[in-house]
Amino acid sequence: KVTDDEIIGMGTNFRLLSNTALSKIKTGTVDLKLFCPSHKPQIAAIQASQIDALTPAQIRYIGSSDNGIAKIDKLNETAWMRIAANPLQVAAITVDEMNTISTDHFITFDTNIKYLSNAVIGSLKTTFISGFNNHASHVNAITAVQIAALTPS
């Protein structure tokens, strides 16, 4: 089993992991045995520079389902911000991934919300997103800046 320190130690060579290895990165939310020795989920150890080195397709493997729940929202804040700031990464987000993205992370798309696919925009939650610490829906969390980015000119 790879520890969080080993994931960090890979640096940008992290991009050389196979798609299978990327899809096996654990969130640690299902079984305590899946946690790394420092008790952080493996996915939380991925660094922003490692995200920068990955293609959108590779991110899909990281964001793939772990027991039926997409894992992308479990990235640490700095890694998540790199996805939200990159139009190519935002455009590649799937409906399944969006269904698990917290409103806190959703807000960070800022004007890059315009790169979400129509399918993803159509899937935005209008009800409380259960399982998250915040108490809002995606639709309720949309900011004025995001509305302006989505409004046709």
Side-chain angles (χ1 to χ4, degrees):
K1 178 162 87 168
V2 177
T3 68
D4 52 340
D5 289 335
E6 290 170 328
I7 289 173
I8 293 167
M10 288 179 198
T12 57
N13 285 333
F14 185 75
R15 74 183 187 287
L16 301 176
L17 291 174
S18 70
N19 293 339
T20 301
L22 290 171
S23 69
K24 300 281 184 203
I25 292 172
K26 301 295 183 187
T27 61
T29 58
V30 179
D31 184 339
L32 288 177
K33 291 182 259 180
L34 300 178
F35 275 77
C36 296
S38 66
H39 303 290
K40 289 193 305 192
Q42 290 175 326
I43 198 165
I46 299 171
Q47 302 297 294
S49 61
Q50 292 170 316
I51 292 294
D52 289 342
L54 296 175
T55 67
Q58 288 174 304
I59 296 291
R60 300 295 63 79
Y61 283 101
I62 291 173
S64 65
S65 167
D66 191 4
N67 291 325
I69 299 172
K71 302 179 287 189
I72 197 168
D73 195 62
K74 303 299 182 190
L75 289 165
N76 68 56
E77 294 303 313
T78 57
W80 172 259
M81 291 298 292
R82 290 295 175 80
I83 289 176
N86 183 327
L88 293 175
Q89 296 291 7
V90 172
I93 288 174
T94 67
V95 170
D96 287 339
E97 290 170 336
M98 181 55 73
N99 287 334
T100 65
I101 291 174
S102 69
T103 54
D104 292 338
H105 280 170
F106 176 75
I107 292 167
T108 65
F109 288 131
D110 201 41
T111 59
N112 281 346
I113 193 172
K114 65 187 171 196
Y115 297 109
L116 291 172
S117 71
N118 289 337
V120 170
I121 294 289
S123 77
L124 296 179
K125 299 291 185 186
T126 58
T127 57
F128 168 72
I129 302 170
S130 65
F132 296 112
N133 292 331
N134 48 40
H135 301 286
S137 69
H138 291 140
V139 172
N140 289 341
I142 294 174
T143 66
V145 169
Q146 290 174 319
I147 291 289
L150 290 172
T151 304
S153 38

